[in-house]
Amino acid sequence: MNVRRLIPTTAVAGAVVLGLTALSACSTSDAADGGNGDKLKVTASFYPMQFLAERIGGEHVAVTSLTKPGVEPHDLELTPRQIGSISESDYVLYLKGIQPAVDDAIQQSGVKNTVDAATLTTLENHGAEVSGHDHGHEGEEEHADEHGHEEEAHEEHSEGDGHNHGEEGGADPHIWLDPVKYAEVAKGVGKSLEKADPDHAADYKKNTEALVGELNKLNTAYETGLKNTATKTFITTHSAFGYLAERYGLTQQGIAGIDPEAEPTPARIQEIHTIAEKEKATTVFFETLASDRTAKTLAKDTGLKTGVLDPLEGITEKSQGADYIEVMESNLTALQKALGAK
């Protein structure tokens, strides 16, 4: 949830300033002017969108992410300067429903080339079996934030995950954790960049094909690595892995609904303990960007181990890898160990 680019943070900060300065000279441009060497000014909402923009855009884009390192995407509050930078962008890439403040600012920005990643693949609702929700659990209803539908609910529960994880009436937004869906999004981003900046269309196409190839390879690694395991059930404090679980035949069990730092009720702890015994689950996963208190509490009460499974909403120094591909590979290793891959 905390975005560190593939370049140093200090360099990014400088790029933001330089980008905003340069915008005044060509803010009316809908695309980069290949004649004077200007880059396409791209605004990405948070890390999974930034990664796509940087990898596909390559040397022809200057990417600014609205979500800085250490900031959880859904808690983002935009400064007037950031709102202004959106309006002055040539191209905006975001995922509607994750960040209400961003959704509102983009809607009002008037930017011609605006792409919602959610429209480039199919979103699904993930019920209890995949996302680990049990609507009968005490205390979970109060966290049932229909993200993207009720901004007031978002503000009220801003300390929690804030995403909709398959609650009734809303779709799970975590499409980037499924390499196949992420590849679909990548293809759509590539095509949209070709239209936004036709002078460099060939390069965008080539970069898209290269990235999709990497994502296909990642998908194969997951399919192979998780095919034969002692158990198919994993337990997590952050119910972000519904698409991943569905893709590879696994079952995700969330501890306390959508809030990764919420204290589980005694009833839920007992239920998780029962599930763990029945399904031979060994590990409670927490994420690098949230407290491990809940996971440790549950592990202590149930005799389970703890481990890291990163929802990849941002990259920090604590991340198990420098970028999306590396962290997903670390996630695969963690899952193989926890599930008893053979």
Side-chain angles (χ1 to χ4, degrees):
M1 299 183 204
N2 322 333
V3 185
R4 182 180 70 191
R5 291 120 178 95
L6 306 183
I7 53 177
T9 305
T10 52
V12 173
V16 172
V17 175
L18 290 172
L20 290 173
T21 303
L23 286 170
S24 61
C26 51
S27 60
T28 57
S29 172
D30 285 327
D33 182 350
N36 61 19
D38 287 347
K39 294 186 176 184
L40 193 75
K41 290 171 284 295
V42 175
T43 296
S45 56
F46 73 130
Y47 179 71
M49 301 298 101
Q50 175 209 339
F51 178 76
L52 291 179
E54 289 178 341
R55 288 295 304 271
I56 296 171
E59 64 182 5
H60 303 304
V61 300
V63 182
T64 299
S65 177
L66 295 172
T67 310
K68 292 179 169 54
V71 177
E72 295 189 352
H74 53 274
D75 291 341
L76 182 68
E77 294 181 7
L78 297 175
T79 65
R81 185 176 183 179
Q82 285 178 307
I83 293 173
S85 73
I86 294 174
S87 299
E88 295 170 324
S89 300
D90 297 317
Y91 179 99
V92 178
L93 179 61
Y94 74 116
L95 180 58
K96 189 174 182 180
I98 288 281
Q99 300 165 289
V102 172
D103 296 349
D104 292 343
I106 290 173
Q107 188 174 3
Q108 297 169 24
S109 70
V111 176
K112 176 183 176 183
N113 298 303
T114 299
V115 178
D116 172 12
T119 65
L120 302 177
T121 186
T122 305
L123 270 64
E124 301 168 11
N125 290 345
H126 287 136
E129 193 172 87
V130 175
S131 67
H133 280 268
D134 183 333
H135 300 289
H137 287 312
E138 180 184 342
E140 287 199 19
E141 286 185 9
E142 64 183 279
H143 295 293
D145 172 10
E146 293 290 336
H147 209 316
H149 296 277
E150 295 183 29
E151 191 169 344
E152 289 181 5
H154 163 76
E155 293 172 354
E156 185 177 344
H157 303 299
S158 61
E159 291 182 8
D161 175 19
H163 301 163
N164 182 290
H165 294 79
E167 299 288 318
E168 251 180 71
D172 182 350
H174 297 85
I175 49 179
W176 65 90
L177 290 167
D178 175 352
V180 176
K181 285 191 173 296
Y182 200 44
E184 290 176 359
V185 174
K187 290 176 184 176
V189 170
K191 289 178 181 177
S192 66
L193 280 172
E194 289 177 38
K195 290 180 181 178
D197 183 16
D199 288 347
H200 301 114
D203 285 345
Y204 296 142
K205 185 177 181 64
K206 181 181 68 175
N207 293 343
T208 299
E209 290 173 352
L211 178 56
V212 169
E214 287 187 57
L215 294 173
N216 288 342
K217 184 178 178 182
L218 184 66
N219 174 50
T220 300
Y222 266 78
E223 282 183 338
T224 304
L226 298 174
K227 182 176 286 187
N228 297 310
T229 57
T231 180
K232 296 294 183 184
T233 300
F234 63 97
I235 301 165
T236 176
T237 55
H238 185 181
S239 301
F241 301 91
Y243 289 107
L244 186 151
E246 187 172 24
R247 177 69 59 189
Y248 304 111
L250 307 177
T251 298
Q252 171 186 242
Q253 286 287 345
I255 294 175
I258 62 177
D259 184 345
E261 297 190 36
E263 290 289 346
T265 63
R268 184 57 174 160
I269 289 177
Q270 182 56 48
E271 185 174 17
I272 290 290
H273 183 60
T274 301
I275 291 169
E277 284 188 334
K278 181 181 178 182
E279 303 297 335
K280 298 183 174 61
T282 65
T283 307
V284 181
F285 286 116
F286 62 95
E287 58 182 277
T288 54
L289 308 178
S291 169
D292 61 358
R293 181 183 59 201
T294 300
K296 285 185 174 178
T297 298
L298 185 61
K300 182 179 179 182
D301 291 343
T302 59
L304 297 169
K305 301 173 185 175
T306 57
V308 173
L309 200 60
D310 196 327
L312 261 162
E313 292 175 335
I315 298 285
T316 70
E317 290 76 10
K318 293 181 180 180
S319 299
Q320 304 295 306
D323 64 11
Y324 172 87
I325 300 292
E326 290 186 5
V327 175
M328 282 294 284
E329 289 172 344
S330 295
N331 281 348
L332 173 57
T333 299
L335 281 168
Q336 286 177 302
K337 182 178 179 182
L339 299 176
K342 301 170 183 175

